[in-house]
Every structure is written in C-alpha cells, then in structure tokens.
Amino acid sequence: EFFRELLENAERSLNDMFVRTYGMLYMQNSEVFQDLFAELKRYYTGGNVNLEDMLNDFWARLLERMFQLINPQYNFSEDYLECVSKYTDQLKPFGDVPRKLKVQVTRAFIAARTFVQGLTVGREVANRVSKVSPTPGCIRALMKMLYCPYCRGLPTVKPCNNYCLNVMKGCLANQADLDTEWNLFIDAMLLVAERLEGPFNIESVMDPIDVKISEAIMNMQENSMQVSAKVFQGCGQPKPAPGLRSSRSVPEDFNTRFRLYNPEEQPTTAAGTSLDRLVTDIKEKLKLSKKFWSTLPYTICKDERVTAGPSIEEDCWNGHTKARYLPEIMNDGLTNQINNPEVDVDITRPDTFIRQQIMALRVMTNKLKNAYNGNDVNFQDTSDETSGSGSGSGCTDDICPTEFDFVTTEAPLVDSDRREVEASATQPGWSLQTLIFASISLILQRRWR
C-alpha cells in the first residue's frame, strides 16, 4: 500500500504544480503525464511493462507536443511528428534529465517491485509448507512421545529434550532441506533492502519528479530554436498553418506561460523517512527468520509446554521410561534421518511439494540478485536459474560498479518467546502444522502489497 500511495501522491503533486505553472497548456496535454503514471502503476502491480521503452515513449510524446507548441506557425502531420520523435536521443532537447531520470526510475522501481514480490513469495512458501501433512511415521512418533507417559502412569513426566529433537528432526526432515535456499533468499532480500535505503530509494526518486520534468521542459524551451532548425533539416520544411506566415517565430506569450517552477513553491516533503522506517522494520524481521527451518525442531523442543527442557536429563520421558535419553541427536535434513531411532523416514522419497517451494525460493533469489544490480529479469524457464531476458537495466558503470556479492550473514537463533507454540499432548498433528505457519507469519507478515 505504501508504494501505491507514493505513486498517487507524486502524480497529484505533479498535476497541481503543472496546473499552476503551465495552466491551460498543461491541461490540454495532461494525458501524456497521466499515461506515464498509469504505466508506472501497472509495472509496480505486476504488469508486463518495459520501463526503458515506456520512459523513452514518454519523452518522445512530450517532444512531439512541445515541438508543436513552440512552432504554432506550422501544420504538422502525424508522419512528420513521428519523424520528430526519432530525434529525441540525437538532439537531447530536454538536456540530461531523461537519461538521469531513466536510471533513477528503473532501478528504484525494479528494486521496489522485486522486494515486495520477495515478501509475497516468502509468505506463500511458509504458508504452503505449514500445510504439508505429517507422515504416518511422524504421527506414530508424536503419539508415542506425547501420550505414552500417560499409559505408563507418568502423566506429569514430560519428554526428554533430545528425544523431542530426534522426533522433530524426523518429522521436519523435508522442511529442514528448505534452509539452505531460504537463507540465500533472506540474504538477497536484505541486500535489496539496503539498495532501497540507499541509491535505489523510490521515495527520493518520486518526490521531486515533477520538478525534474519541469526542468526538462525548460531545457526544451531554451533550446527551441536550435532543436527546430535541426528537425527541419532532418525531417524537411513543414507546411505553414493556414492564415499564418511561415516566418512567424515562437509566440511572445510562450515565455510567460512556460516558466521555471519557483523552488519556494515546491512541496515540502520528508523524502526517505517513511520508506526508511518501513525497510528498517522489515529488515529486522527478515534477520530473525534466518535458519528458521533448521532451528524449528529446537524452537519446538525448548518450549516448556512440550518437553522437560534441556537442563533436565534424568527425570524425563525417553520413549520407554523415566530416564536419560541415550541415542545421539540426528543432523538436519532428509538424508541424515536414515538412522533416526524415533521416526521411520524414507530418505529415497523427498516431498515433491516442498521441493517445489525450494525451486520457488531459488527463482526469487535470482530475481533479487538482478534487482540488486538494477536489472529486471522475467524468467521464462524456472528450471534454469540463469534463464530470462533483461528488461530495464537501471545501472551504469559509475552506479553499479560491481556484480551481486552474496555474503552470508549470520543471525541469532530465534527464541521460543517469539513463537506462538501451541503444541499440546492432546493435539500432536495440529500443533506441528500450526506452529510452522504461526512462527513464520509473525516474522514476515506486513502490510506491504
């Protein structure tokens, strides 16, 4: 919602400023600017928009309109105006504003859209994985861990912590395999977040966009004679307008109606403050979710409502009686459960649904890598990590001097007091699914859309 409101505010600010500055001249050509913002909104909401082509088209259309305004003594056909638009890059009638604005807009919008897409993917992956049903072997192990003490006349004895860890590692074996790709995804999200706080700050780009476009218009006005002469030379001498002398120059009222926007009239803004606050907030939550899947068994088993706790090793239920749990703790992941003493795990049959979520994270991570470098990639084949075609590179050598440097950042383990653990002896299956969803939702849930 924040980015959508930002675009609406920028469009409203530009409209108010241009109405006051250019009056009827702007109102007669306002659809050029309305189309610009409509395309920016469409891109941000997932539309198939090439930012560079769209911005080039905006400046070409603006040149056509401006060229007619500075040469009202001539009559221009559509073919002639199309010829005029082809001189946009060659003549640079708007100065260096279009080039700078293209770089700023493309990289900021690419980073913003990809970052929000990343938040959505992370939430969806967590939501889907939380709904994966436990295997029959997992259900039997949970029943044995949580119910058998009652059958043995030990209703107050809770499971040993290490016993619980082996049960949970067996139950969450496939989920643990998400961890590597999940951590890479979180690292990529954090790096793009840094871009949003720095050179790719969409708020600092959109707040002054009205002033920048006004500056471009003034550049066009100041160079109108040279631009017109070169266009006439390249496209031919246009036909005089009916009833007007072809030698008529720029109208006298042009300078009075097209004036540079007074800096004192610029709206006061606190560019960066709102975005910085939101990005800082989400960065902290992302850091907490590092290693989420591999630490989930530890998070569950350290909860006093589930086990006796790590400090109590003798007076706890070990699966057979009230005594120390002797088997070693299994490592994380599916392949390490081949000798799990508590859960029967078929390591030859990975959960295909969770493998799909791993691939979704991998694809999103690659998009984030490209967004970090100012590039927009539409993946055509999700099975190929490097497939896709670039659309809208936002970098130049002096802005993005290095490629994506993937530095893994370590984050502290997440304490159980940040989880909504609802495990109980009477609801083993429900607690496993609900715990995963509740835990990750607390970390990633935001109002970003």
Side-chain angles (χ1 to χ4, degrees):
E1 292 294 341
F2 170 80
F3 288 136
R4 188 175 291 108
E5 291 177 4
L6 180 65
L7 283 175
E8 292 174 354
N9 290 338
E11 182 177 13
R12 188 161 43 248
S13 176
L14 182 143
N15 183 72
D16 293 343
M17 167 186 164
F18 277 35
V19 167
R20 293 195 304 269
T21 307
Y22 306 124
M24 188 58 65
L25 290 175
Y26 164 71
M27 297 174 67
Q28 292 172 345
N29 299 277
S30 60
E31 74 276 4
V32 176
F33 304 91
Q34 292 169 359
D35 290 346
L36 168 66
F37 283 95
E39 288 297 284
L40 290 174
K41 292 175 185 176
R42 191 162 73 88
Y43 172 84
Y44 175 73
T45 54
N48 185 19
V49 177
N50 186 303
L51 287 175
E52 285 194 3
D53 290 346
M54 183 272 293
L55 290 169
N56 289 338
D57 182 63
F58 165 74
W59 292 111
R61 291 179 64 193
L62 186 58
L63 174 59
E64 292 179 11
R65 299 297 179 93
M66 288 288 297
F67 193 76
Q68 294 179 81
L69 290 173
I70 63 177
N71 293 286
Q73 67 274 32
Y74 296 111
N75 197 14
F76 300 103
S77 65
E78 291 185 6
D79 290 340
Y80 194 96
L81 292 175
E82 184 176 349
C83 178
V84 172
S85 65
K86 293 178 180 178
Y87 280 81
T88 307
D89 292 334
Q90 179 181 341
L91 297 177
K92 294 185 174 16
F94 300 109
D96 205 32
V97 174
R99 185 192 67 82
K100 291 181 178 178
L101 201 59
K102 182 192 297 185
V103 171
Q104 294 168 349
V105 168
T106 52
R107 68 186 187 179
F109 270 79
I110 289 168
R113 184 172 83 161
T114 308
F115 187 72
V116 174
Q117 287 176 344
L119 291 174
T120 301
V121 168
R123 183 177 64 246
E124 289 178 350
V125 167
N127 188 11
R128 291 166 181 166
V129 173
S130 72
K131 296 177 181 178
V132 174
S133 299
T135 64
C138 172
I139 293 175
R140 285 193 297 270
L142 286 171
M143 292 289 287
K144 179 181 177 182
M145 183 179 77
L146 297 172
Y147 279 98
C148 284
Y150 292 85
C151 303
R152 297 295 179 88
L154 303 170
T156 60
V157 179
K158 294 181 179 181
C160 298
N161 183 73
N162 290 351
Y163 173 36
C164 173
L165 285 176
N166 274 343
V167 172
M168 288 297 104
K169 289 198 175 194
C171 287
L172 299 173
N174 282 282
Q175 285 85 342
D177 285 344
L178 276 166
D179 213 50
T180 299
E181 205 61 52
W182 178 266
N183 292 339
L184 293 174
F185 162 73
I186 295 299
D187 284 330
M189 287 288 291
L190 291 172
L191 287 172
V192 174
E194 291 178 5
R195 289 295 208 200
L196 286 173
E197 291 177 319
F200 294 7
N201 189 309
I202 191 173
E203 195 170 21
S204 63
V205 171
M206 293 308 297
D207 275 343
I209 195 170
D210 49 0
V211 178
K212 292 178 180 178
I213 294 177
S214 180
E215 178 187 346
I217 291 174
M218 293 308 302
N219 288 335
M220 171 68 180
Q221 179 190 345
E222 293 172 359
N223 300 318
S224 60
M225 299 299 292
Q226 299 93 318
V227 170
S228 296
K230 291 182 179 179
V231 169
F232 293 159
Q233 183 179 0
C235 298
Q237 190 69 24
K239 296 180 180 180
L244 293 176
R245 292 180 292 115
S246 60
S247 61
R248 180 178 175 181
S249 60
V250 178
E252 295 179 358
D253 64 343
F254 188 88
N255 288 328
T256 61
R257 303 190 71 174
F258 274 76
R259 58 185 177 86
L260 186 60
Y261 195 60
N262 188 341
E264 296 180 358
E265 299 175 14
Q266 296 178 15
T268 57
T269 60
T273 54
S274 298
L275 180 63
D276 288 345
R277 185 167 56 249
L278 288 173
V279 172
T280 299
D281 185 41
I282 198 66
K283 278 174 61 179
E284 293 305 311
K285 289 178 171 57
L286 288 169
K287 289 176 183 178
L288 292 177
S289 72
K290 280 291 296 292
K291 297 186 177 182
F292 173 80
W293 303 104
S294 60
T295 59
L296 189 54
Y298 298 89
T299 303
I300 296 173
C301 293
K302 73 165 56 173
D303 192 284
E304 62 182 9
R305 291 169 291 180
V306 180
T307 69
S311 62
I312 302 177
E313 297 182 355
E314 302 291 343
D315 298 329
C316 57
W317 172 251
N318 66 4
H320 302 282
T321 186
K322 180 181 177 181
R324 177 187 291 267
Y325 183 76
L326 297 178
E328 65 175 341
I329 301 174
M330 299 292 101
N331 291 324
D332 302 320
L334 182 64
T335 57
N336 291 316
Q337 307 310 309
I338 187 171
N339 294 318
N340 191 310
E342 310 303 336
V343 185
D344 294 329
V345 181
D346 186 353
I347 65 170
T348 65
R349 299 181 62 184
D351 188 289
T352 56
F353 186 75
I354 289 181
R355 302 296 145 170
Q356 291 173 1
Q357 307 315 306
I358 291 175
M359 182 56 66
L361 289 172
R362 187 170 299 161
V363 170
M364 191 66 239
T365 299
N366 275 280
K367 293 187 73 173
L368 290 162
K369 288 181 181 181
N370 281 279
Y372 177 85
N373 291 317
N375 300 320
D376 195 10
V377 174
N378 296 317
F379 286 88
Q380 303 298 323
D381 181 2
T382 56
S383 64
D384 185 350
E385 296 177 24
T386 60
S387 65
S389 57
S391 171
S393 173
C395 286
T396 57
D397 292 339
D398 59 330
I399 295 172
C400 296
T402 59
E403 286 300 305
F404 191 93
D405 186 13
F406 224 5
V407 180
T408 301
T409 56
E410 296 296 328
L413 298 182
V414 184
D415 295 331
S416 60
D417 60 356
R418 283 193 287 266
R419 314 289 188 200
E420 291 187 357
V421 183
E422 296 294 339
S424 67
T426 59
Q427 295 175 309
W430 174 86
S431 65
L432 179 63
Q433 291 181 333
T434 303
L435 173 79
I436 299 173
F437 177 68
S439 299
I440 199 65
S441 293
L442 284 176
I443 293 175
L444 290 182
Q445 187 175 7
R446 289 298 297 165
R447 62 177 180 273
W448 297 59
R449 296 173 186 169

